[in-house]
Amino acid sequence: MSKRKIHATDIFNLISLTDPQWDKHSRKFAFVQTTMHEEDNEYRSAVYIGDLEGKTIPFTTGKGRATSPRWSPDGSKLAFVSNRNEKSQIYVMPANGGEAEQVTFCKNGARGPVWSPCGTKILFSTSVEGVQDLQQDEEEKKKKKHPEPLVVEKMRYKSDAKGFLDEKNDHLALLDLKTKEISLLTDGDRDYGTPAWSPDGKSIAFVTNLEENPDVSLVSDVYVMDLETKEKKKITNSNGFYSALTFSPDGQYLGFLGHEKEFQSATLSRVWVTKLESGETHCLSENLDVEIGDVAIGDFHSGNVNPGLMWTEDSEGFYFLMSDQGGTGIYFGSLDGAMYPIHLPDEHVYAVSMLTGTHEAIVGVSNSTDPGELYHFDLKSQTRNQLTNVNESWKNEVELCKAEPIQFKAKDGWELHGWIMKPAGFEEGKKYPTILEVHGGPHAMYANTYFHEFQTLTAQGFVVLFTNPRGSHGYGQHFVDAVRGDYGGKDYLDVMSAMDYALESFDFIDENKLGITGGSYGGFMTNWVVGHTNRFKAAVTQRSISNWLSFYGVSDIGYYFSEWEVQGNMEDKVEKLWEHSPIKYVSNIQTPLLILHGEKDYRCPVEQAEQLFIALKKQGKTTKLVRFPEANHELSRSGDLALRIHRLNHVKNWFVEYLQKA
């Protein structure tokens, strides 16, 4: 039986499995299953419990979202976060079933539960202005509030994730499960995050920026707090960014991931370990030229969790995720600095939970033709067993196109890497229109993972070409840093080299029907490309940057990102910002250009799209602007479902009109 072609709306048929958490007592695992529903335009997430025989059952039910399942130390209970009663709060439920008990009633919600080693307390995060925000005031909820002006005194006053920032900050709080009392552990006009609890229960670790002026001192330092005295001990030196904290089982070491900003935002994340007794901190992976963690770009899974260092029972070693050459896998490291790969597949390991005592893992794995399933992986024997098949029936119904890896050289001899996807129903001897995709970041990585946008385009009869130009992660420190100060330079040549290589190597590409698209940095590159060549007959720029001068003041990261990445500023390097702005070259653009942008995008604000659209329209160019209401920078990955479908269809239809019908 022939399979049908994929549509944009097939996203409603897909199921996402994330955040596996393995209980060493029962050897069962909890995970989050997310489905997308067209009828009410809603994401729904539920916590499921699975075993190694492949049986899974729902642990939570109903509409809304249940996330962050965390086993109590003895495995008898699960804590999780649910928004079943409007705001997200923490619930606790017996592992063998029963009624879920809501244990937090915070005014601004609660998230990120971390059990104490004794199982009687839960550490969590909440947004507060003061202690009064720890509990909801039912009467206050009913009061209507008049609009008030937003008074701004800081450069960092908005966030793409949160919108305009108010007086609230992210703080850490402690819940006593016996008394139900909640105490605030941190305070002040600072944010605290990624908490971890020491094995003896006497201290916690977290990251924060306690510098005098956090607008200028852009760092996240690691601290350890004594829970009895509330005394904080600073671990790092206010010169970098750190996250994903974990204590070794014997409590002697604190591990974390991050870097000292040697190359600003283009610095590889590394493995760090502090010996708590002496305070000595060492980078253990400085000789390992790979990015620690998962930096793969996709448009399907959301809510992935970086587990940080997963320590062995003897506290002498640890496992961790890493990204290299378009794949993400598992490495092993030891306190003496030895690092070596355990599992480096041509696929995307996007989630992992380990029982390090037996060297086993539950992993979430995706590839170009598989949205993702969970597997049991024995690291010693290198064998794995599939535990779920939630997307199997859909995969059997549709024609999926495989991404085939390509290796080629840039004009200056640099080795480059990418993939090409033939269209659905491919026939030898035919020529097909081709779309070149450019990822955002730029410090991210196209990878061996499922990409719904790519499958939607190949189903329409397009070849899809995608690559990792210099500036991408996955190819070492020199490669990722090479784009800084050179936006539109060698990275542009890399993108064009990919197109040249494909035309030389694949006779099924119609050289007269080429298109290009990308989002964020990929939108910048799309704008730049059509301003510097007319070889593309259609282009779609998404959540893009067109003008670094205005971006400097309107983006939530503009005032430092522009200086770090473009290496221009508003003091004495204004010309540098203008030189790298695609809008400077707008009079050169002849390619029909579709401009897509979210109204609430504070990362690359919508004025970037407005400027480009008006400049093109004024000059009589072929263009269209599509604005997505209430959508931020994450529209294509986790935004409103109806708008995600509209976005995909606009992209597809533009290329159909100007490549297939032309």
Side-chain angles (χ1 to χ4, degrees), residues 268-280:
L268 292 182
S269 291
R270 302 199 181 279
V271 172
W272 300 80
V273 169
T274 294
K275 188 168 185 177
L276 294 167
E277 186 178 358
S278 66
E280 294 177 38

Side-chain angles (χ1 to χ4, degrees), residues 308-354:
L309 302 186
M310 295 167 281
W311 291 87
T312 55
E313 296 298 306
D314 61 8
S315 298
E316 292 293 325
F318 40 80
Y319 295 93
F320 56 91
L321 285 175
M322 49 69 63
S323 300
D324 190 36
Q325 303 289 316
T328 62
I330 301 172
Y331 252 72
F332 178 80
S334 61
L335 291 176
D336 60 11
M339 302 274 164
Y340 52 89
I342 296 295
H343 185 54
L344 288 182
D346 291 330
E347 57 194 13
H348 179 199
V349 178
Y350 65 85
V352 60
S353 178
M354 293 197 67

Side-chain angles (χ1 to χ4, degrees), residues 50-95:
D51 61 30
L52 298 186
E53 303 303 315
K55 180 183 177 184
T56 62
I57 57 171
F59 187 73
T60 64
T61 57
K63 292 187 176 182
R65 306 195 75 165
T67 60
S68 305
R70 297 296 182 266
W71 297 93
S72 62
D74 63 2
S76 65
K77 302 182 186 71
L78 262 179
F80 59 93
V81 176
S82 173
N83 64 356
R84 62 183 66 183
N85 292 320
E86 294 184 32
K87 291 194 180 295
S88 293
Q89 302 287 357
I90 296 172
Y91 293 74
V92 173
M93 185 169 163

Side-chain angles (χ1 to χ4, degrees), residues 65 80-91 102 104-111 126-127 133-138 141 145 166 168:
R65 306 195 75 165
F80 59 93
V81 176
S82 173
N83 64 356
R84 62 183 66 183
N85 292 320
E86 294 184 32
K87 291 194 180 295
S88 293
Q89 302 287 357
I90 296 172
Y91 293 74
Q102 182 176 341
T104 65
F105 297 83
C106 298
K107 179 179 177 181
N108 302 308
R111 60 194 177 278
T126 185
S127 298
D133 279 4
L134 286 178
Q135 300 294 339
Q136 272 180 318
D137 186 326
E138 294 301 319
K141 280 172 60 180
K145 292 189 176 181
D166 49 27
K168 293 189 289 293

